[in-house]
Amino acid sequence: MKRLILLSVSVFMLATGLVQAQEQLLDKVVAIVNNDVITQSQVDELTNKVLRNAQGAEQELPPEDELQQQVMDRLILESLQLQLADRLGIKISDSQLENTIDNIIAGENKTREEFLDDLTKQGISYNQFREDIRTEIVLGEVGRSQVQRRVNVSEQEIDALMKLIEEQDKGTVRYHVGHILLRISSDEQATQQLAENLVQQLKDGENFNQLAMTHSQGPKALEGGDWGWMTIEEMPTLFAGVVRNQHQGSVMGPIRTDSGLHIIMVLDAEGLQKVETLEVNARHILIKPSIILSDKKAQSLLSEFRQQLILGEVTFEELARQYSEDPGSAVRGGELGWSDPSVFVPAFRDTATRLEVGELSQPFRSTFGWHLMEVLDKRTTDTTNKASKNRAYQMIFNRKFNEETQSWQEELREEAYVEILDGDA
C-alpha cells in the first residue's frame, strides 16, 4: 500500500513538474535590464500592438528584423524609465488613472460602453488597456521630472522668436486707420483737454468719422480722418509706432509732436490674431476626506452647507473661514480671485466654466477633495500679447525638451546594464 502511495505521489510530482516546465516554456526571458527582465510575451504584445496600429493607419512597416530591434529598444528604454520612476517613488493612483481614462473616452465622444466595445473588437482587455495607460502616465511623469530641469529658455530667446514671427506675419496684417490732428493753440491746456475728451468719447463708442470731421485739422479731415487700409510698412512712422499689434477699436493718444496732438484709432484690422481669454472670479470651500472623515461624509457635509446658504442661514465667507481646508483662500472667505480656469485641475476647471455668475454648484470632487463653488463674476480679457509670448516660449521649450529628452534617454541607456539573451549583448 505504501509503495502504491509513493508511486502515486511520484507520478503526481512528475506530472506537476512537466506542467510547470510547460508553463515556463510559454514565456521566456529575452533580455536583462539592470534589475529587471524583458520577456518574450512583452515583445509579442508590443509587436502586435504596432501591427494593429499600422494596419489601422494603413502604414508600411520595416522589415521584421528591424521591427523586432525597434520593439526591443523601446522595451529596454521603458524598463529603465519605470525602474527610475520606482526609485523616485512616482506612483499613479487608481482615481488619477480613472480620471485620465474618463478624459480619453470623453475626447472620443463615446460612452464608456461604446469605448469598451471598441477595445473588445480590437482584442484588448480593459485591464490591459488600463495598465498601458498607467505606464504611459508614469513614463510621462518621470520624463518631465528629469528633463524639465535641463531646459532653460531665456527672455532674449523668446523676444527674438516673437520678433521673427512678427516679421513673418506683418506683411499679411492690414489696418484700417483713423487719425485726428489738433494743432496746439495759444491756450495749450484747452487743446490738451479737448484731445483727452475726444479720446474718452471714442473709447465710449462715439462715431470716429463724425468727431474727426468736426475737430480734426489733419490732411484727411474731410474724409472723416480715414486713412484707409495699410500695412505697417505703408503707413506713416507715427502710426506704425503705435498701431502695431493693436486691434479693432483701439484708441491711441493724445500723442504730441511738432505738428500738434494726434489721436489714432484702429477702425478695423485683418490678418491679425486676437486671443481673448475667459477669466473667472470664484470662491470655494474644500473638504478633504480622511481616516476620520469618509468620502461620503465630506460630500454630505458640503450638501448641508449648500442648503444653509440657499436658506440664508449663513454666509459663504463664514463657512469658508471656518471649514475650508484650502488655507490660501479660506482667509479670504474662499475667494480665489480672477483666474483663467485652465490653471485649475479638470473637475474644478469644468465646474468654474459651466456655472453662471452667482450660481452655487452641487458638491463635486477633484483630486484635492470635495468642493462647493460659487462663481462671483466672469470677464473676457485680451491676452494676445501674452498668448504670443507663451506661444514663442512653448515653441522654444518643446524644441529643447525634445532634444534633451533624446540626450537623457541615451545617457540612461549608456549607464545601464543590458544583456540580450537571444542575440548580441
Side-chain angles (χ1 to χ4, degrees):
M1 186 68 179
K2 286 183 179 179
R3 287 182 182 179
L4 183 60
I5 293 171
L6 288 172
L7 181 61
S8 299
V9 171
S10 300
V11 171
F12 173 76
M13 290 179 67
L14 179 61
T16 303
L18 287 172
V19 170
Q20 288 176 343
Q22 287 175 345
E23 286 178 350
Q24 288 171 358
L25 288 174
L26 292 176
D27 204 357
K28 63 177 180 178
V29 174
V30 295
I32 300 172
V33 184
N34 285 344
N35 300 321
D36 193 17
V37 296
I38 295 173
T39 63
Q40 185 62 50
S41 63
Q42 288 176 278
V43 174
D44 294 340
E45 184 182 328
L46 181 53
T47 302
N48 291 333
K49 184 177 180 181
V50 172
L51 291 172
R52 282 196 307 269
N53 293 341
Q55 186 178 8
E58 298 182 351
Q59 292 177 336
E60 260 188 58
L61 287 170
E64 187 176 350
D65 58 338
E66 292 182 21
L67 177 60
Q68 288 300 304
Q69 183 61 53
Q70 291 177 18
V71 166
M72 183 63 74
D73 288 343
R74 171 68 64 82
L75 290 171
I76 289 170
L77 187 58
E78 284 189 3
S79 174
L80 290 171
Q81 292 179 84
L82 290 173
Q83 290 179 63
L84 177 58
D86 192 51
R87 292 197 297 273
L88 295 173
I90 295 175
K91 304 288 184 185
I92 305 302
S93 67
D94 288 342
S95 61
Q96 184 181 349
L97 180 60
E98 288 300 330
N99 283 338
T100 302
I101 293 173
D102 287 341
N103 291 334
I104 292 171
I105 295 172
E108 295 195 12
N109 294 318
K110 294 178 181 177
T111 64
R112 178 170 279 266
E113 290 73 22
E114 291 170 338
F115 189 81
L116 293 177
D117 284 343
D118 287 346
L119 288 180
T120 303
K121 289 174 184 175
Q122 297 174 52
I124 304 171
S125 70
Y126 180 67
N127 285 339
Q128 178 189 336
F129 170 77
R130 197 169 180 271
E131 291 312 307
D132 285 347
I133 297 300
R134 189 193 299 273
T135 298
E136 285 183 25
I137 298 172
V138 171
L139 293 176
E141 291 287 338
V142 72
R144 278 189 291 274
S145 72
Q146 297 302 297
V147 178
Q148 220 162 8
R149 60 189 180 188
R150 297 165 60 137
V151 177
N152 179 49
V153 180
S154 68
E155 287 293 327
Q156 291 81 0
E157 288 176 298
I158 295 172
D159 292 341
L161 182 56
M162 286 179 67
K163 187 175 181 180
L164 178 62
I165 294 172
E166 190 179 303
E167 288 295 322
Q168 292 172 342
D169 292 345
K170 71 179 181 181
T172 62
V173 179
R174 298 170 70 236
Y175 300 88
H176 187 186
V177 181
H179 172 245
I180 294 173
L181 170 64
L182 300 179
R183 300 194 185 278
I184 297 174
S185 65
S186 55
D187 190 346
E188 186 175 333
Q189 187 174 354
T191 306
Q192 179 72 31
Q193 186 62 52
L194 173 60
E196 290 174 2
N197 288 342
L198 290 175
V199 168
Q200 189 57 52
Q201 289 179 58
L202 291 170
K203 288 181 177 179
D204 291 340
E206 292 292 330
N207 184 279
F208 180 89
N209 301 115
Q210 186 174 335
L211 290 178
M213 289 188 72
T214 304
H215 300 283
S216 181
Q217 297 165 298
K220 300 286 186 179
L222 292 178
E223 290 80 22
D226 191 342
W227 279 68
W229 287 90
M230 297 176 287
T231 64
I232 289 291
E233 291 81 2
E234 294 170 331
M235 62 182 65
T237 304
L238 173 66
F239 294 5
V242 294
V243 163
R244 186 187 301 274
N245 294 328
Q246 297 295 331
H247 298 278
Q248 181 181 6
S250 296
V251 181
M252 287 70 67
I255 303 164
R256 180 184 289 268
T257 69
D258 292 341
S259 304
L261 297 177
H262 303 261
I263 301 169
I264 300 165
M265 183 172 183
V266 177
L267 304 175
D268 203 352
E270 61 182 21
L272 189 66
Q273 296 295 321
K274 183 175 182 179
V275 179
E276 291 186 332
T277 301
L278 172 70
E279 292 185 331
V280 174
N281 185 13
R283 57 186 178 184
H284 79 131
I285 299 168
L286 170 65
I287 302 295
K288 297 179 180 180
S290 64
I291 297 173
I292 301 171
L293 185 69
S294 69
D295 204 69
K296 189 174 181 180
K297 182 61 179 175
Q299 181 184 11
S300 175
L301 185 61
L302 286 178
S303 294
E304 292 175 16
F305 290 167
R306 187 175 189 275
Q307 191 60 30
Q308 291 173 8
L309 290 168
I310 291 172
L311 296 175
E313 297 174 353
V314 68
T315 67
F316 200 104
E317 294 89 338
E318 290 170 343
L319 288 174
R321 288 193 177 97
Q322 186 173 354
Y323 296 103
S324 182
E325 295 181 71
D326 175 12
S329 66
V331 295
R332 299 192 300 272
E335 190 166 342
L336 296 164
W338 288 104
S339 302
D340 177 351
S342 65
V343 304
F344 300 130
V345 294
F348 205 94
R349 173 201 65 206
D350 295 344
T351 305
T353 304
R354 175 179 50 80
L355 289 176
E356 299 293 335
V357 173
E359 187 178 356
L360 192 63
S361 75
Q362 294 288 343
F364 66 95
R365 206 189 196 297
S366 79
T367 51
F368 296 105
W370 284 91
H371 306 262
L372 186 65
M373 180 194 296
E374 181 183 12
V375 169
L376 299 173
D377 203 357
K378 292 186 177 183
R379 69 185 182 190
T380 302
T381 57
D382 183 353
T383 55
T384 305
N385 288 335
K386 182 179 179 181
S388 297
K389 188 168 186 177
N390 288 342
R391 177 188 170 201
Y393 170 84
Q394 204 60 52
M395 288 171 70
I396 297 169
F397 179 87
N398 288 344
R399 173 177 58 80
K400 290 189 172 187
F401 187 88
N402 290 333
E403 292 170 354
E404 288 295 334
T405 296
Q406 186 173 350
S407 299
W408 169 67
Q409 290 176 346
E410 289 172 358
E411 291 168 14
L412 203 60
R413 176 69 186 262
E414 288 171 4
E415 295 168 0
Y417 171 78
V418 177
E419 182 181 354
I420 310 297
L421 299 183
D422 280 354
D424 296 327

